[in-house]
Structure formats: structure tokens, C-alpha cells
Amino acid sequence: MSAASPLENVLYARRFDDGLIDLFVGVGLTLIGLAWMLDAPVYGALVPAVLVPVWKLLRERWVEPRLAAVRFSAERESETRGSMIGWLIFGACVLVTELVVVLFAGRSEASILERLDDAIVALPSALVAMGLLAGLMIRAWRFAGYAAAALAIAGVGVLRGVEEPGALILATGILVLCAATALLVRFFRTHPLTDADEQDRPNAV
């Protein structure tokens, strides 16, 4: 396998710096948190399946027209596909684990729940943090910060006696949404569409 050039390494490291993937992660966490708060966590598990195709479509329409066309090596493209698939699989495992926690909490004896009450409230957010760390697979290093924030929110929730895990997930989602908004605004300002870009872009919206 040929070594990548320094320029390719820089471009690849910045491939997901536009903030769009942050936006969809934030939206996903917000919807999942709301689903938990409405006692319908099963519906939260459907969120990624709905958001991934929308993310791909908006990336083609919002992000790619603003950037010069870059052709990465076959090894890089394969690495990206594998990382994205791995992230989705890992995220699905996290959601399944959270559902198992809910079922366990609903069927366990009261004495067990009393001992594990605080841990059960914080555990979903801890699992969300693990899912956010998977963003490092695509070299989006800021996701380590999101994961740390999720853990901090979980800790504060436990200390303040929050009883709704969905509220902690929702808070993490809102935080990621705020960061995503700042990244997208910066991206759109740094890479405005020219008249030529608008003419070359099919089905522009």
C-alpha cells in the first residue's frame, strides 16, 4: 500500500470538519432523549436508520458543492467506509444495550433498583459517551470532547437527583447541536457558493 502524501493526510483529517455530521448526531441524541422521556425508547432506536440517508443527501447538496473535488486513494475510501459502518454498528449496539437496561429496570425487584437507581440514571448517558467516542474512527477528534461532556452531564444529573435518563441524553444532544451550528456557520462563511457552483449543482434547493 502506497504512503499517503502530507496534503492528503491534512485533507482527510478535515473531511468531516464542516459540522454536518455533528448536526445529525445532535439531532439524533435529541430525538432519542425525547423518546426516552415519552417512555418510548424503542422508537429512539429507529432514529439512526432515518437520519443516515438524510445526512448523505444533505452532504451532497450543502457540503460537497462548496469544496474542491478531492479524490482520495482507494485505501482511504475503504477506511472511511469501514469507519462509518463500524460507527453505525457500535451505535446500534449502544442503543440495544440501553434498551436492555430499560427492560432490566422495569422487571427488577424494588430492592435492586434502590441500590442501582443512580447508576441506572447515568448509565444511558455513559453509553452515549462511548458511542460518541466512536467518532474518533473518522478522525473527528472533537467527539472526544462531546463524550466528556456527556459524562459530565451524567455526573451532574446524578448529583442533582435527576430521575429521567432521557433528560440527560437530551441535554447532551442540545450541546452537540449548539456546537454543530457554530461549525456549520463557520463552514458556510468560509466556503460560500459562487454563481458557477449554483449552476453546476443539480437540483439545488
Side-chain angles (χ1 to χ4, degrees):
M1 186 175 84
S2 59
S5 67
L7 178 59
E8 181 180 355
N9 287 330
V10 171
L11 292 174
Y12 184 79
R14 295 180 177 177
R15 190 174 189 180
F16 297 103
D17 280 356
D18 49 83
L20 188 60
I21 196 166
D22 307 62
L23 176 67
F24 278 83
V25 169
V27 169
L29 290 176
T30 299
L31 293 176
I32 290 170
L34 289 173
W36 275 65
M37 295 178 72
L38 295 173
D39 293 325
V42 174
Y43 293 105
L46 302 177
V47 170
V50 175
L51 291 182
V52 169
V54 179
W55 170 75
K56 293 178 64 177
L57 176 63
L58 292 184
R59 182 171 176 83
E60 292 175 358
R61 298 199 174 193
W62 288 1
V63 176
E64 293 177 1
R66 289 176 161 82
L67 300 176
V70 178
R71 293 183 63 86
F72 293 102
S73 64
E75 292 84 357
R76 286 290 197 193
E77 293 293 351
S78 177
E79 177 184 348
T80 300
R81 285 193 297 271
S83 297
M84 293 298 291
I85 292 172
W87 193 0
L88 289 173
I89 292 174
F90 188 81
C93 292
V94 168
L95 288 174
V96 169
T97 303
E98 291 180 351
L99 290 176
V100 170
V101 170
V102 172
L103 293 175
F104 171 79
R107 296 179 180 179
S108 297
E109 296 179 359
S111 59
I112 298 178
L113 288 179
E114 289 174 359
R115 292 194 298 269
L116 299 179
D117 187 49
D118 291 345
I120 289 175
V121 169
L123 183 56
S125 287
L127 293 172
V128 165
M130 292 176 59
L132 289 169
L133 280 177
L136 302 181
M137 294 180 181
I138 57 172
R139 302 190 182 185
W141 310 118
R142 61 191 177 277
F143 277 80
Y146 297 156
L151 291 175
I153 289 172
V156 171
V158 170
L159 292 175
R160 296 185 64 87
V162 175
E163 298 180 356
E164 176 54 66
L168 304 180
I169 298 174
L170 176 63
T172 301
I174 292 174
L175 183 147
V176 176
L177 274 176
C178 292
T181 301
L183 288 172
L184 280 170
V185 169
R186 184 187 68 178
F187 175 77
F188 288 145
R189 288 179 176 175
T190 306
H191 304 281
L193 277 179
T194 64
D195 292 338
D197 293 329
E198 289 284 4
Q199 293 174 0
D200 293 339
R201 184 173 57 161
N203 302 321
V205 293

